[in-house]
Amino acid sequence: MRAPKSLSMRRTQIFGITILILALLIGGAAVIIDGLRDPAPRSVATRTSGTISIGGPYALTSHTGERVTEASFQGTYPLIYFGYTFCPDVCPTELQDMAAVMDELGDAASQVTPIFITVDPDRDDQEQMAAYVEAFHPRMIGLTGTEQEIATAAKAYRVYYARAPTDKDDDPYYLMDHSNFIYFMGPDGQNVDIFNGQMPIEEMASRIQAALPN
Ligand code: NI
C-alpha cells in the first residue's frame, strides 16, 4: 500500500516536472534558432576525403575594386571563408577567429592571405565588403561579384548557400543559410586543410604552421 504523499513532496514533483518541460522547450528553441541562422552541421569531418576536390577557378571583385581570380593569390596560402556581412553571429565569429589565427601565426602570417567571399552579393557590394573586412583584419580581402560569379566560386569550394525564407518577399533583413568551413589552400591553389567552425584557434594555427615552409 502506498503511503499518501505529503504536500511538500507533491510540490517538489510539480516543480521538477515544470523545470524539465522548461528545459526541453528552451533546448528545442535554441536548436531551432541555431538551425535558422546557420543550419550546416559544425561537426562534420574536417578533412578532405581525397576524392572530393576543393577549390578551382573563380573571378571576383575585391573590396578595393580590383578584379581578382584564384591566380591572384598564387604563391600565398589563402585562408578562405564564405559568408555574408549581415550574418548575425556565425560569420563574425569565424572572421574573428581567422584574425586571431593570423595573430597567433606571428611572422608566418605574412605567407597567409585571409579571404572573405560573400554569398549575398545583392547586399554585399564592394563598399559594404570594404567596411566589413577592414573591421576584422588589415590584410583581410573581401570578395564579391555577380550572382553567377559567386555561384561559380561557391561551387568550386562545395559551399552551400541559400536565402532563408521570410514572410515578405522584399524583406531587406533576410538571412542566408550557408555552410561553415574555413578552407586553407596551398600556393598552387590546392586544398591543404579544412577547419570547421568549432576548431580552437591554437589548433588551426598549428595545422597551418605545419603546412608552411620554414
Ligand atoms: Ni553566417
Side-chain angles (χ1 to χ4, degrees):
M1 202 173 100
R2 270 164 43 159
K5 284 173 184 168
S6 73
L7 189 59
S8 76
M9 266 180 73
R10 283 206 188 125
R11 274 194 186 138
T12 308
Q13 266 190 344
I14 289 164
F15 181 71
I17 289 164
T18 307
I19 291 294
L20 182 68
I21 289 168
L22 275 177
L24 288 171
L25 284 174
I26 292 166
V31 166
I32 290 163
I33 290 163
D34 201 38
L36 280 175
R37 284 184 176 157
D38 276 84
R42 302 190 104 208
S43 57
V44 299
T46 57
R47 287 200 176 263
T48 46
S49 68
T51 54
I52 302 167
S53 80
I54 298 284
Y58 59 80
L60 296 166
T61 302
S62 78
H63 70 279
T64 55
E66 293 159 78
R67 288 296 286 172
V68 303
T69 70
E70 73 290 351
S72 309
F73 306 110
Q74 243 168 28
T76 79
Y77 288 78
L79 191 60
I80 303 176
Y81 184 74
F82 288 76
Y84 67 114
T85 70
F86 286 79
C87 183
D89 46 20
V90 176
C91 292
T93 305
E94 299 309 328
L95 295 176
Q96 268 170 17
D97 284 358
M98 280 169 66
V101 165
M102 293 294 283
D103 291 344
E104 183 82 10
L105 286 169
D107 290 344
S110 63
Q111 300 170 80
V112 178
T113 309
I115 299 172
F116 176 52
I117 302 179
T118 184
V119 294
D120 183 20
D122 278 355
R123 288 181 298 188
D124 288 341
D125 59 12
Q126 185 200 323
E127 291 73 25
Q128 177 68 21
M129 292 297 278
Y132 197 70
V133 293
E134 280 162 13
F136 286 97
H137 194 274
R139 289 193 44 234
M140 189 173 285
I141 292 173
L143 299 180
T144 187
T146 65
E147 273 186 32
Q148 187 53 55
E149 287 169 347
I150 295 297
T152 300
K155 196 176 174 200
Y157 284 82
R158 304 285 195 271
V159 168
Y160 162 80
Y161 67 101
R163 187 171 155 163
T166 44
D167 294 340
K168 295 180 293 175
D169 282 347
D170 58 348
D171 184 354
Y173 303 107
Y174 60 86
L175 298 177
M176 299 291 294
D177 297 331
H178 63 92
S179 49
N180 186 35
F181 295 102
I182 298 171
Y183 303 94
F184 181 50
M185 308 300 287
D188 54 359
Q190 297 295 306
N191 178 245
V192 177
D193 210 341
I194 301 176
F195 310 124
N196 75 31
Q198 287 176 320
M199 190 177 289
I201 286 150
E202 293 73 20
E203 187 180 346
M204 271 192 269
S206 71
R207 279 161 71 159
I208 289 170
Q209 189 89 59
L212 295 175
N214 291 310

